[in-house]
Amino acid sequence: MAVKALQAVRGMNDIFPSEVAGWQNLETDLRALLKLYDYGEIRLPLLESTELFARAIGDVTDIVQKEMYTFADRNGDSLTLRPEGTAGCVRAAIQHQTMRGQTPRYYYMGPMFRHERPQKGRYRQFHQLGVEAFGQAGAGTDAEVIALSARILKQAGVQATLQINSLGSPAARAAYRERLLAYLRPRQAALCEDCQTRMERNPLRVLDCKVPGCQEIAAAAPHLVDHLDPESAAHFACLQDLLTALGIPYVVNHSLVRGLDYYNRTVFEWVTDALGAQGTVLAGGRYDGLVSQLGGQETPAIGFAVGLERLLALQEIQGQLATAAQPLLFVGALDDNSLAAAWKLAEHLRDQTVSVVSAGPATFKSLMKLAERSKAHFQLLIGAGQLQGEPVIIKEQDGEGRWEGSLDAVSTGLQSLGVDFPRHAPHTEHNFATARRLK
Ligand code: ATP
Ligand code: MG
């Protein structure tokens, strides 16, 4: 009887080399950008105590109520696979006391876990880049953080719209909550089932419900920004002036409330309609109360997270996705006796950072097929002739180029033979520069 093959957990993806090229390219670009803004990478555990997320994100949020991967470990401690990175980052900064009188800026990149219904752009293991800036309360920091988010999307070649809103102070938000409830209660019957049940607990969530009937009701609801405390109103006005000064277009979305409890004042999202229902690529906001809520000293903070799968999906749609680099050279051995010489040659060339794919021993015909499939720019074969001193012939696979040299000469590098390297060769800059100089 055939053995049943096992499958990955639903909503958790395997990523193969052809796709990883796009990931690595994106990750490299992102790291370079983060340096421009003086963010340092922090590497955090994937597992945290369940209590951390319950306290940070809030008990009545979708994430904590429905989406967490929570289990008891062998000691019976309740642990949770991180559904987002802010809680762990704040926990780490408090635990290691890195915020005292300092203004650290951290970023992290890696997997997050949420038990959601998998669909395009929504997975159970997905990846985020998150950034967190601590210790600065002014709207200037909000503007700078948003400028970084704008630059990330621009660099990725992704078009999206910036939406902003202000949630005000906790007190203003609590007062607004009552006002909103008074508006929603007479309309409760017209809301979707989800909203009917969460309305009393978390009425702000009704504002960003995606069901059309709820959106209609939300559109006519009182606006949060009309009921802000004076300090938050000034903060929001200052942010808008700065965004205008920086030339970053935005729209104020009165329904933007974000699904996590820890936000106050500025919240923002970059949204696109190119991804169907999963339109938010990047989202964040200010969370001045979280550090003290988790046991640290009062410390203002702001951050955002960008979904890497959604960023890559947009890059693919917009033709910006990087493809896998091909090897520079295919080395084939024609028989058992040539194997050692062919492999030694390949190792010598790798010493010089030439990327080599090797195959054999095999017949001429099958080596030709393998060489073509490898998509290497050049190819060469080693057989009995080369062992007896006949020249090694290097050919371009998709062109007319043809060079030759003794086995020893080829071993010392392709440049010395005058090989004309492809302009966008998958080998290092170092080799490319040397080859150009020789011409
Ligand atoms: P959504 O409204 O799409 O559920 P969210 O508000 O839950 O998003 P955040 O917690 O703010 O999302 O996470 C920030 C970003 O992470 C999102 O804008 C999105 O790009 C990405 N993201 C969130 N959940 C998922 C998921 N399940 N699969 C893939 N990407 C996700
Ligand atoms: Mg969500």
Side-chain angles (χ1 to χ4, degrees):
M1 211 179 77
V3 177
K4 191 167 171 264
L6 296 175
Q7 306 246 318
V9 177
R10 201 162 113 79
M12 304 206 175
N13 297 314
D14 303 305
I15 308 171
F16 281 86
S18 60
E19 287 172 88
V20 164
W23 284 83
Q24 289 180 336
N25 192 56
L26 178 64
E27 287 159 4
T28 305
D29 284 355
L30 290 172
R31 287 181 197 284
L33 279 191
L34 288 154
K35 244 186 226 164
L36 298 180
Y37 290 78
D38 195 30
Y39 282 81
E41 182 176 1
I42 184 166
R43 299 194 177 189
L44 299 159
L46 301 191
L47 275 176
E48 298 274 0
S49 68
T50 303
E51 193 193 344
L52 172 68
F53 299 114
R55 264 167 69 181
I57 299 171
D59 282 331
V60 295
T61 57
D62 280 356
I63 292 182
V64 172
Q65 289 205 322
K66 305 192 284 208
E67 298 175 359
M68 295 203 308
Y69 278 93
T70 297
F71 59 93
D73 78 356
R74 287 173 189 275
N75 303 328
D77 296 328
S78 181
L79 302 182
T80 294
L81 277 166
R82 63 181 189 188
E84 55 98 62
T86 304
C89 188
V90 171
R91 193 265 313 137
I94 296 171
Q95 184 177 337
H96 301 282
Q97 304 185 359
T98 62
M99 288 181 290
R100 293 225 170 130
Q102 307 286 321
T103 56
R105 297 169 161 208
Y106 299 124
Y107 80 85
Y108 43 83
M109 250 194 272
M112 304 294 163
F113 304 84
R114 296 185 195 177
H115 196 277
E116 302 196 72
R117 194 168 65 79
Q119 52 196 293
K120 188 159 177 47
R122 192 174 292 287
Y123 309 102
R124 289 182 173 176
Q125 176 173 331
F126 61 99
H127 298 75
Q128 285 183 340
L129 158 70
V131 314
E132 318 290 351
F134 294 104
Q136 286 174 311
T141 304
D142 304 29
E144 196 190 47
V145 165
I146 291 175
L148 166 60
S149 72
R151 197 185 286 268
I152 284 175
L153 298 183
K154 188 172 164 210
Q155 165 100 10
V158 158
Q159 270 154 31
T161 305
L162 171 63
Q163 301 186 345
I164 63 172
N165 197 16
S166 176
L167 301 179
S169 65
R173 185 168 154 187
Y176 172 76
R177 186 182 181 278
E178 293 311 312
R179 197 180 286 269
L180 181 62
L181 268 174
Y183 166 83
L184 290 174
R185 279 197 188 108
R187 297 167 176 83
Q188 179 162 14
L191 295 173
C192 75
E193 227 171 277
D194 255 5
C195 283
Q196 295 205 19
T197 51
R198 69 184 164 200
M199 189 186 93
E200 292 291 333
R201 275 181 287 124
N202 199 353
L204 268 69
R205 283 303 277 171
V206 175
L207 294 179
D208 74 349
C209 178
K210 290 176 180 121
V211 176
C214 298
Q215 288 192 337
E216 219 169 278
I217 292 172
H223 291 166
L224 225 166
V225 292
D226 295 334
H227 304 281
L228 294 178
D229 52 297
E231 294 80 15
S232 295
H235 185 104
F236 195 45
C238 179
L239 169 63
Q240 292 182 64
D241 287 346
L242 286 168
L243 291 177
T244 304
L246 291 170
I248 301 172
Y250 65 89
V251 294
V252 176
N253 175 357
H254 298 291
S255 295
L256 180 58
V257 294
R258 309 285 302 117
L260 298 81
D261 274 359
Y262 51 59
Y263 290 113
N264 69 303
R265 291 199 173 155
T266 308
V267 287
F268 63 100
E269 290 191 356
W270 285 89
V271 182
T272 155
D273 45 24
L275 294 177
Q278 274 54 255
T280 304
V281 195
L282 184 153
R286 185 165 273 289
Y287 52 94
D288 296 333
L290 184 61
V291 178
S292 56
Q293 193 182 312
L294 292 179
Q297 273 183 348
E298 192 95 11
T299 307
I302 179 168
F304 65 75
V306 51
L308 299 188
E309 282 84 355
R310 290 188 196 173
L311 209 49
L312 287 162
L314 280 172
Q315 286 195 311
E316 190 171 13
I317 292 168
Q318 293 168 6
Q320 304 284 341
L321 199 62
T323 48
Q326 309 302 346
L328 185 67
L329 175 68
F330 175 90
V331 170
L334 283 159
D335 49 49
D336 284 331
N337 291 337
S338 317
L339 209 48
W343 261 225
K344 263 171 75 181
L345 174 60
E347 285 300 314
H348 280 308
L349 291 173
R350 289 178 184 127
D351 286 344
Q352 292 154 75
T353 69
V354 171
S355 59
V356 181
V357 56
S358 55
T363 62
F364 178 79
K365 210 172 137 195
S366 46
L367 286 179
M368 285 299 100
K369 247 188 233 157
L370 289 167
E372 197 186 324
R373 243 180 263 157
S374 78
K375 298 201 173 75
H377 190 83
F378 302 109
Q379 56 150 63
L380 66 80
L381 302 183
I382 305 293
Q386 280 67 41
L387 299 184
Q388 286 153 24
E390 283 175 28
V392 176
I393 296 169
I394 300 160
K395 282 189 201 161
E396 255 175 349
Q397 293 223 86
D398 277 332
E400 302 294 300
R402 197 188 143 93
W403 299 265
E404 60 174 64
S406 69
L407 203 46
D408 283 346
V410 177
S411 292
T412 64
L414 300 180
Q415 299 98 309
S416 57
L417 305 176
V419 168
D420 196 8
F421 281 57
R423 190 159 279 283
H424 299 291
H427 49 80
T428 64
E429 287 297 318
H430 163 74
N431 265 340
F432 183 60
T434 321
R436 286 287 139 203
R437 227 178 297 126
L438 281 172
K439 278 196 74 183

